[in-house]
Amino acid sequence: MRVNGEQYRTIWPDPTDSRRICLIDQRQLPHRFVVETVTSCQQMCAAISEMHVRGAGLIGAAAAFAVYLATLAAPDEGMDPYLREAASELLRSRPTARNLQWAVERMLAAIGTVATPAGKRQLALAAAKAIADEDADFCRRIGIHGLPLLEEISRRKGGKTVHILTHCNAGWLAFVDYGSATAPIYAARDAGLDIHVWVDETRPWNQGARLTAWELQQEGVACTLICDNCGGHLMQKGLVDLVLVGSDRTTHTGDVANKIGTYLKALAAWDNDIPFYVALPSSTFDWNLDNGYDIPIEQRAEEEITTTFGRDEEGAIRTVTLTAPGTRAANYGFDITPARLVTGLITERGVVAAERQAICRLFPEGPGDAATGTDLSVSKK
Amino acid sequence: MRVNGEQYRTIWPDPTDSRRICLIDQRQLPHRFVVETVTSCQQMCAAISEMHVRGAGLIGAAAAFAVYLATLAAPDEGMDPYLREAASELLRSRPTARNLQWAVERMLAAIGTVATPAGKRQLALAAAKAIADEDADFCRRIGIHGLPLLEEISRRKGGKTVHILTHCNAGWLAFVDYGSATAPIYAARDAGLDIHVWVDETRPWNQGARLTAWELQQEGVACTLICDNCGGHLMQKGLVDLVLVGSDRTTHTGDVANKIGTYLKALAAWDNDIPFYVALPSSTFDWNLDNGYDIPIEQRAEEEITTTFGRDEEGAIRTVTLTAPGTRAANYGFDITPARLVTGLITERGVVAAERQAICRLFPEGPGDAATGTDLSVSKK
């Protein structure tokens, strides 16, 4: 998507030296647009856990490139145990994200198909690129499948503005390109629909205020920032036509782990009879869990709640403390929206009900995939 | 209640010169404890609209003292039109708060009972003091009536910690003393119950992070700050025993206007079968509205969303901008929690169901009060 009119992905190998992985440092947005270069798996682990990169698909792609970087650092003798250690470190960096595990498993399976160290390194780069390309392509397809939902609302409203509420950033910044929740929005913009997005600021990390509002503005999509408390009121007042969010992990029974606060918006949508859709590439499905409440929920540092950061009068990024000294805080990163509150899932293969049978019908290979470790080829598009 | 171990109210006439009204400037908490002196009605209007003082009961008491200050500034000839103009200005300062209107009407009615300017001024001070005393007393009684609810939970849990979730600040800082939602908590603390409070930070103004967490800490009540997105997750995990909030206006049919985001917590409580109580003195009741959705909802400045303030490394209070230049924001101050989601109302006369008949049975004089302008004596306790 566009930054100051120029096309970018969120992560890419340096075209002049593929041992250098470039990524947008999202901690600095929207105040500074900084491209960072990562050259080791350890560095990428830090970039993931410290949220230089975040978001379901992007974490997956970053982990894939991290495994590739690990193959470069690994000794020819003992490459496999080295990679297993690197994989463990990656899996510890963010516990809730399904795509992270999915990408690491897929990378290891791909690398395992060749014997020579040089072959493994070559294949790792190809596999990581394929994961990134696939992520972008899946999001593009989510846009195609989500567009008719917005067209239908627009038709019903006689062409008047369609108001979409979104939480956190499931935009192109959360994936390699297009985004999941934003893909139908960008598709609708391209189709000439009159679209307006209510953007939840998404405390504590302000992904909505810092990232979603910024990327929508860069793409010329009308949007209004609101605090996370506001969505229920807007829904009561008839100012929301559809809620559209992403997911960090979705069980094959349709329970959705997404950014903390998503569940509250799903409840409000349900109470006001407003459709609540979750957009996700199939790499976000967890085929092993029946119950969303079994998904591990990441707890992060108290300081993310007791402090915040922004641009001061001189334009410097500055952290300020919001609370009295000694204030304790709890910082859960995600919550679970039970399937009963989800109107539908928008995937790269189409829109599907949030329930086991429908999901498994659309992804018949799914349950076997992660569970058995088969079908991990990287060329599948 | 206590600040650094010393007893304070939130507003009081200077004991050496009652023409000076002292109040705690809440914009500066928890970073600085500043007592401000207000000497005119205009100054008090600014203090209310700019939120030096805020919260249902405190706004009422501040408005009462403002009417008294207006009598001091009013000319002997033409005092009544002067006061009516002052009253209009006060009513415009915060549109949602019921107590503001209630206090102004009550002051005007009290002043109207005497003829001489000197008599009006004297009565105005007495009436404002009575409103402040009554507010403190009503909150104290709310504590007495709310305590058995917490004792019952404690009993059921075999004395284990009772976890209460609250939103915004309905603490003593929102009233003259004790608070509404906090009064049962302080009563439970005094009764030796093991109590822990989850404090919603309450964006955009951070009343929870800045005020509730601070006042609970000053009183030695265990509390943990959470972002507004977090409550639903805590309820799903069984970590909340009771939700307890205040109200800025409650219809006599039981619909509750309270700080934006309250409705989302009520939905989550309902979905998880957790009691949701609203604590309010009867001055918060609106006897004229049947439908909560008819309550006017204040919209405030965009900058309250796009910027925030806190303590920088040097201890100065500093404002930082969270968003990209040009980001638009909508800032609704309150939302409506429909009566069907409210387990009960805790008032100074007892706990009552959130429905018309029960409320009117407990406050039989209520519907006649504001509607007819009768029964506005200031000595009633």
Side-chain angles (χ1 to χ4, degrees):
Chain A
M1 307 299 285
R2 283 173 294 183
V3 179
N4 302 320
E6 205 178 321
Q7 288 291 335
Y8 277 91
R9 283 185 165 188
T10 51
I11 193 165
W12 64 95
D14 185 332
T16 65
D17 180 356
S18 64
R19 292 167 304 180
R20 299 156 54 87
I21 305 302
C22 302
L23 52 88
I24 300 169
D25 181 356
Q26 301 194 15
R27 296 170 308 167
Q28 312 213 35
L29 287 174
H31 312 298
R32 285 198 287 254
F33 181 73
V34 175
V35 173
E36 181 185 354
T37 303
V38 170
T39 56
S40 74
C41 180
Q42 290 76 14
Q43 224 186 324
M44 191 68 89
C45 283
I48 293 171
S49 67
E50 294 164 15
M51 296 173 70
H52 308 213
V53 290
R54 28 62 56 199
L58 177 52
I59 287 175
F65 282 113
V67 172
Y68 157 62
L69 292 174
T71 65
L72 300 183
D76 282 359
E77 300 293 318
M79 184 181 265
D80 286 351
Y82 185 96
L83 292 183
R84 277 197 298 275
E85 183 48 44
S88 304
E89 196 189 341
L90 277 164
L91 293 180
R92 281 193 300 271
S93 62
R94 294 293 301 277
T96 303
R98 167 61 193 155
N99 299 61
L100 177 61
Q101 188 186 350
W102 171 87
V104 168
E105 284 172 359
R106 186 156 150 176
M107 287 295 292
L108 293 181
I111 294 165
T113 60
V114 285
T116 66
K120 283 178 194 290
R121 291 183 182 114
Q122 202 178 3
L123 194 68
L125 178 59
K129 281 181 171 173
I131 284 174
D133 286 346
E134 184 183 275
D135 181 80
D137 185 58
F138 280 6
C139 284
R140 191 182 59 78
R141 289 166 194 261
I142 286 170
I144 293 170
H145 294 299
L147 175 59
L149 298 172
L150 302 182
E151 286 176 327
E152 168 57 25
I153 295 170
S154 174
R155 241 192 320 271
R156 216 176 52 228
K157 294 184 77 174
K160 283 202 193 126
T161 310
V162 178
H163 295 282
I164 299 156
L165 186 143
T166 193
H167 188 67
C168 196
N169 174 267
W172 75 268
L173 289 168
F175 290 85
V176 174
D177 213 344
Y178 302 103
S180 58
T182 49
I185 291 168
Y186 293 132
R189 186 265 324 263
D190 293 342
L193 266 62
D194 186 355
I195 294 279
H196 168 259
V197 183
W198 296 109
V199 178
D200 275 0
E201 62 175 357
T202 319
R203 283 280 296 155
W205 216 66
N206 292 341
Q207 286 94 336
R210 299 195 302 105
L211 306 178
T212 305
W214 179 79
E215 74 163 84
L216 291 173
Q217 283 171 278
Q218 291 287 332
E219 286 287 331
V221 175
C223 63
T224 306
L225 184 66
I226 51 174
C227 65
D228 301 310
N229 287 321
C230 191
H233 172 70
L234 296 176
M235 293 187 218
Q236 287 177 325
K237 291 285 177 187
L239 297 171
V240 177
D241 296 305
L242 180 113
V243 182
L244 186 47
V245 300
S247 172
D248 293 84
R249 194 190 294 215
T250 300
T251 66
H252 66 286
T253 55
D255 294 340
V256 174
N258 193 44
K259 181 55 53 194
I260 190 87
T262 301
Y263 165 57
L264 297 172
K265 296 303 142 63
L267 285 169
W270 182 85
D271 196 45
N272 291 284
D273 213 8
I274 291 165
F276 180 93
Y277 281 93
V278 180
L280 69 157
S282 57
S283 47
T284 308
F285 279 119
D286 188 325
W287 302 107
N288 294 319
L289 287 184
D290 288 338
N291 186 340
Y293 298 113
D294 293 335
I295 296 173
I297 300 295
E298 179 179 8
Q299 286 187 262
R300 297 182 58 86
E302 296 184 54
E303 290 71 29
E304 288 186 354
I305 308 272
T306 58
T307 70
T308 195
F309 59 95
R311 201 168 60 247
D312 71 11
E313 301 82 347
E314 287 85 41
I317 296 183
R318 190 182 280 268
T319 296
V320 292
T321 300
L322 303 169
T323 53
T327 303
R328 303 303 308 265
N331 184 6
Y332 294 87
F334 303 89
D335 64 19
I336 305 301
T337 299
R340 67 186 151 87
L341 299 176
V342 177
T343 310
L345 307 172
I346 311 175
T347 76
E348 74 271 14
R349 292 195 192 162
V351 179
V352 63
E355 57 95 11
R356 186 199 307 255
Q357 278 200 322
I359 293 168
C360 292
R361 211 177 300 124
L362 195 62
F363 295 94
E365 80 283 21
D369 188 321
T372 66
T374 57
D375 189 21
L376 288 164
S377 69
V378 293
S379 57
K380 177 177 77 180
K381 271 271 172 87
Chain B
M1 307 298 287
R2 283 172 294 182
V3 179
N4 303 321
E6 205 179 320
Q7 288 292 334
Y8 277 91
R9 283 184 167 189
T10 52
I11 193 165
W12 65 95
D14 185 331
T16 65
D17 180 356
S18 65
R19 292 167 304 179
R20 299 157 55 87
I21 305 302
C22 303
L23 52 88
I24 300 169
D25 181 356
Q26 301 194 15
R27 296 169 309 165
Q28 312 214 36
L29 288 174
H31 311 299
R32 285 197 289 253
F33 180 74
V34 174
V35 173
E36 182 185 353
T37 302
V38 170
T39 56
S40 74
C41 180
Q42 290 76 15
Q43 224 185 326
M44 193 68 89
C45 282
I48 293 171
S49 67
E50 293 164 16
M51 296 172 70
H52 307 212
V53 290
R54 26 64 55 200
L58 178 51
I59 287 175
F65 282 113
V67 173
Y68 157 63
L69 292 174
T71 65
L72 300 183
D76 283 358
E77 300 294 317
M79 185 182 264
D80 285 353
Y82 185 96
L83 291 183
R84 276 198 297 275
E85 182 48 44
S88 303
E89 196 188 341
L90 277 164
L91 293 180
R92 282 193 300 271
S93 62
R94 296 294 301 277
T96 302
R98 167 62 193 155
N99 300 60
L100 177 61
Q101 189 187 348
W102 170 88
V104 168
E105 285 172 359
R106 184 156 153 177
M107 287 295 292
L108 293 182
I111 294 166
T113 61
V114 286
T116 66
K120 283 178 193 289
R121 291 184 182 113
Q122 203 177 3
L123 194 68
L125 178 59
K129 281 181 173 173
I131 284 175
D133 286 346
E134 184 183 275
D135 181 81
D137 185 58
F138 280 5
C139 284
R140 191 182 59 78
R141 289 166 194 261
I142 286 170
I144 293 169
H145 294 299
L147 175 59
L149 298 172
L150 302 181
E151 285 176 327
E152 168 57 27
I153 295 169
S154 174
R155 243 193 318 273
R156 215 176 52 227
K157 294 183 78 174
K160 283 202 192 126
T161 310
V162 178
H163 296 281
I164 299 156
L165 185 142
T166 193
H167 188 68
C168 197
N169 174 266
W172 75 269
L173 288 169
F175 290 85
V176 174
D177 212 344
Y178 302 103
S180 59
T182 49
I185 292 168
Y186 293 133
R189 184 265 324 263
D190 293 343
L193 266 62
D194 186 355
I195 294 279
H196 168 259
V197 184
W198 296 108
V199 179
D200 276 0
E201 62 175 359
T202 318
R203 283 280 296 156
W205 216 67
N206 293 339
Q207 286 93 336
R210 298 195 302 105
L211 305 178
T212 306
W214 179 79
E215 73 163 86
L216 291 173
Q217 283 172 280
Q218 291 287 333
E219 286 288 331
V221 176
C223 63
T224 306
L225 184 66
I226 50 173
C227 65
D228 301 310
N229 287 320
C230 190
H233 172 71
L234 295 176
M235 294 187 216
Q236 287 177 324
K237 291 286 178 187
L239 297 171
V240 177
D241 295 305
L242 180 111
V243 182
L244 186 47
V245 299
S247 171
D248 293 83
R249 193 188 295 214
T250 300
T251 66
H252 65 287
T253 54
D255 294 339
V256 173
N258 192 45
K259 181 56 53 195
I260 191 87
T262 301
Y263 165 56
L264 297 172
K265 296 303 140 62
L267 284 169
W270 182 85
D271 197 44
N272 292 284
D273 212 9
I274 291 165
F276 180 93
Y277 281 93
V278 180
L280 70 158
S282 56
S283 48
T284 308
F285 278 119
D286 188 324
W287 303 106
N288 294 318
L289 287 184
D290 288 339
N291 186 340
Y293 297 114
D294 293 334
I295 296 173
I297 300 296
E298 180 179 8
Q299 285 188 262
R300 296 183 58 85
E302 296 184 54
E303 289 70 30
E304 289 187 354
I305 308 273
T306 57
T307 69
T308 196
F309 59 95
R311 200 168 63 247
D312 71 10
E313 301 83 346
E314 287 85 40
I317 296 182
R318 190 182 279 269
T319 296
V320 293
T321 300
L322 304 169
T323 52
T327 302
R328 302 304 308 264
N331 184 6
Y332 295 87
F334 304 89
D335 63 18
I336 305 301
T337 299
R340 67 184 151 87
L341 300 176
V342 177
T343 311
L345 307 172
I346 311 174
T347 77
E348 74 272 14
R349 292 197 192 159
V351 179
V352 62
E355 57 95 12
R356 186 198 309 252
Q357 278 201 322
I359 293 168
C360 292
R361 210 177 301 125
L362 194 61
F363 295 93
E365 80 285 20
D369 188 321
T372 66
T374 58
D375 190 21
L376 287 163
S377 69
V378 294
S379 58
K380 178 178 76 181
K381 270 272 174 83

